[in-house]
Amino acid sequence: MYNKKECVAMLLAGGQGSRLYALTKTVAKPAVPYGGKYRIIDFPLSNCVNSGIDTVGVLTQYQPLVLNEYVGNGQAWNLDRIHGGVHILPPYQTASGAQWYEGTANAIYQNLSFIDRYDPEYVVILSGDHIYKMDYSKMLQFHKEKGAECTIAVIDVPLHEASRFGIMFAHDDGSVYDFVEKPKEPKSTLASMGIYIFSYKTLKKYLIENENDKEATKDFGKNIIPALLQNGEKVYAYRFDGYWKDVGTIDSLWDANMELLAVDVDLDLYDTSWRIYSNNDSAAPHIIGEKAKINSSMVTNGCNINGTVDFSVISAGVTIEEGALVQYSVLFPGAVVKKGAVVEYAIVGEDSVIGENAHVGAAPETIENKDEWGVAVVGHELNVSDGASVAPKQIISESI
Amino acid sequence: MSYNMTNVLGLLFANTHEDSVPELSANRTIASIPFGGRFRMVDFLLSGMSNSGMSKVGVITRSNYQSLLDHIGSARPWDLARNDGGLTLLAPFGRNTHTGLFKGKLDALSSCLSYIRHTGCEYVVLSDCDLVINPDFTHLIDVHIESGADITAVCHTDNYTEEETRDAACFKVAPDGRVEAVSINRAMAGKRTMDLNIYAMKTSLLISLVEDLVSLGKFSFSTDVLQGMVHELNIHAYEFSGFYRRICDLESYYKANMALLDYKNLSQLMLRERPIYTKDRADAPAKYGFDSAVKNSMVANGCVIEGVVENSILFRGVRVEKGAVVKNSILMQDTVVGKDANVQNIITDKNVTVGDGVSVASAESCPLYIAKGRTVK
C-alpha cells in the first residue's frame, strides 16, 4: 500500500506528570482537563491537524485508559484518516523481548518501525505538557530553508526562570552552538519548548546509536541533542513568540486557566481560523439559574449553575447549587458543589463532590504566612463531606 | 431480552408541518430548525432511534433541505455512519418512476418503497420532526409486539388549546388501549388524546397499506389509514408520559425553548443514558465578562456575554456586548447584540446583528422574529 507521508508527528504522552499529584493519579498528564472543555492533548493534536500533519503517533505508557478512550479514532480532531490518522502506541512485545519506554528517545526508538511505515522525510517530536497554538508547517519550512538536521522550537523566557528549561545558545542566523539542560546559572534566555523537527534519516541514526550506548539515559535533551551538536550536525533554533504555557505543576495549571479569564487573553480560543478541537460528550447548553451570579468566568455545556461564580473555569456537566460560592477556581468535568459550600483558589477533580457548607482553599489575603498559601486540590472522584475543609496548598487524593 | 432493534427501520419525515412555522422554515426543513441552544429538531428523533439500537434510519425530505444536508453530513454524530444501513437521506426525484413532489405521507413512502424493502427490517417506526422528545423506541417496539396491534400510535393525553389541535389528530381510546375513533384538525380545546405522529408497525403492513391506498389516490396517513381504517386495523394507543413539546407555531416554538429553563424539564429531556446528539462546532466554553449579569438563561458554548441576559436562550457563538440588555429572547447561532442595545421578546435567526444602542422589543405574548442574517440598525 502506498503510504508515504512527508512529515509524521510523534507525541510523547507516556509521562506520569508526578508534579500534578492527585490530578494525575489515575490519568496521564496529557488527559488532564484544561480551559473548561479541553484536555491538554487537544492543543498538540489540533496544532498538528491545523498544520496539515495528518499522521500522529501518540506514545502512551502511564495510566492510558482515559487517554485511549479520549483520543479514540481521532475523529474529533479530523484525524480519522484512510492513510495515517492518529495511532495510540503503547510499548509492545517483540521477538527480542519486551521493554517499557525508558526515556523520550527510547520511546521513539521503540516505534521506529511505526515511523518507517510512512517513509517520512521529517518527524516532529511533541509533548503533551503545554498549552499553545503553533503552526508546525512554518517551523518545517524554516527547517528546510536552513537545511537543518534538527530544528528546536525556542521561546524567550525571563532570565530568572531560565533554570527550569533546556537553554539553547544560538548565533544570529539561528544555528545552535550549545545547549545546557536546566542550568543553575543560565547565560541565555532561549528555552527549548520540547518541540523538535528532525530529518528522519538523521534521527534514526542517532536513536540507534543512543540505544547502543549502555551509559545513555535515552533522553532527547540529555543525549540526542548534545550528540548532534558534538558531531557538528546542523541544529537550528526556531523562535516562537506566541502564548506558550507549561502546565506541569498545580500552580502553572491553575495559572494557565486563570489567564483565560483576563480581559486581553493571550490565548484566543474563540479564533475560528485556528480552532482547538476536543472530544466532548453530548450535553445541552448550560443553565444559569434564577439565583446565580456569574462574572469573569468560563462555563461549558451541560452545567447547572445556581450559586455565585467569580473568576473561575467551569468544565462540562458541573453543578453549583444555590448559595455556593466558587471563586478563582478550576472545576473539572462533572464536579458538584453543594449548597453553602465555598471553593476558592482551588482545583476540583472530575466528578468530585464538595459537600454542603464544606470549604476548599482560601484567599491569599486571609493567610498571614504566605508560605502556607497555595492552590488547594481535590483529586478525581472524591467526596469532601458536608462541613469539611481542605486547607490552602493541601492536595487530597482520598475522600474526607 | 428486548427485540433486536437492528431489525427496526426508522423513517423520519423532515418537512411535514412546515407550514405551521413559516418564519423558521422559510429556508429550512422542520427537521433542521434550531432548538434549545445547540440542537436542531431532527436531533431528538435521530438520537432516540440511535440510542434505542436502531441502525437504519431513512430521512424523507421534500424540499428546502440544504440546511438538513449540512447538518446531517455523514450522520456520525448520531452514530449512524454505518457500512450497512446507517442514515439514508431520501430526497424527491430520487427515482424516475415518480415525477414531482409528494402530496402526503403515503405518497412520499411509495417513492421509497424499494429502500424500505431493501433494508430487510421486520418493523418500522415512522415519525415527524416537530417534536422535542426523548423517546425509548425499544419500549415502544416491545409494547407493540406484546399487544399484538397492527399499528401502535404514540399519543399524549392533556388539556390542549385550540391552536395545538389545529394541525393534529386526536384519538378516542377504549379502556383496552385500542383506538376507536380519530378526529383530525378539529381545533377544539380541552382534554384530548393527541396523536404525536410516531407509529410502529410491521414493515410488510406499511408496504401493503402504501401500495393499496396510493393506487386509489389516497395519500394521507392520518385520514386514510388512522381514520379511514380505524375499524379494520387494530390501532393501539401508546401513552407517552415523559417531557415533550410539539412545535405547531412560532409561539409554541418560543414556549418550548423557554420550557428548558426549568431544570425539571431539561433533565427529563437530556438523559444520561440516552443523550441527545448533535453536530458539534468546536466552540470554546461560554465566557462571562466582568460586568455581565445573567440569570435564568440557557447559554451554549462559544457565547461571550458582557451585558445583561435574563430568561433567554443563547445559541452557540452569541455575543452580548457591554451595556446590552437581552430579556425573554431566543438568540440563534452567532447573533450579535451591540453595545447598549436592548432586545426583549425577540427571536433572532442565525447571524442577526442588533446594532449598538438599538432597541427591539415586542409584546410578551407575541415574540417578534428577525430573519437570518439581518442587521437591525
Side-chain angles (χ1 to χ4, degrees), chain A residues 5 41 45 47 52 69 73-74 87 99 118 139 150 153 180 203 219 291 293 297 360 364-365 382:
Chain A
K5 298 282 178 186
I41 196 172
L45 282 183
N47 286 339
E69 187 180 356
N73 71 349
H87 295 260
Q99 190 191 1
Y118 299 99
M139 182 172 164
C150 171
V180 192
L203 174 66
D219 182 89
K291 299 286 161 60
K293 196 173 174 303
S297 294
V360 178
E365 56 270 23
L382 303 181

Side-chain angles (χ1 to χ4, degrees), chain A residues 102-119:
Chain A
E102 302 289 347
T104 51
N106 174 258
I108 303 291
Y109 170 81
Q110 289 200 42
N111 285 287
L112 285 175
S113 52
F114 169 80
I115 303 173
D116 283 336
R117 291 172 64 80
Y118 299 99
D119 187 21

Side-chain angles (χ1 to χ4, degrees), chain B residues 11-14 16-17 20 30 45 49 105 124-131 133 135 137 140 151-156 160 164-171 182-185 193-201 220-223 226 238 240 244-248:
Chain B
L11 287 173
L12 296 176
F13 295 90
T16 316
H17 311 293
S20 57
I30 281 276
L45 274 307
M49 289 179 167
K105 256 180 208 167
V124 60
V125 172
L126 308 180
S127 177
D128 296 345
C129 292
D130 59 342
L131 294 175
I133 193 167
F137 292 113
L140 173 67
I151 296 176
T152 299
V154 180
C155 56
H156 181 72
Y160 289 105
E164 286 168 331
T165 50
R166 178 162 289 140
D167 180 24
C170 292
F171 298 149
V182 180
S183 64
I184 296 173
N185 303 351
T193 298
M194 190 194 280
D195 178 15
L196 298 186
N197 299 309
I198 299 175
Y199 314 104
M201 70 195 84
S220 164
F221 191 85
S222 44
T223 310
L226 296 179
Y238 174 100
F240 179 80
Y244 88 97
R245 288 292 186 274
R246 192 172 146 256
I247 309 304
C248 56

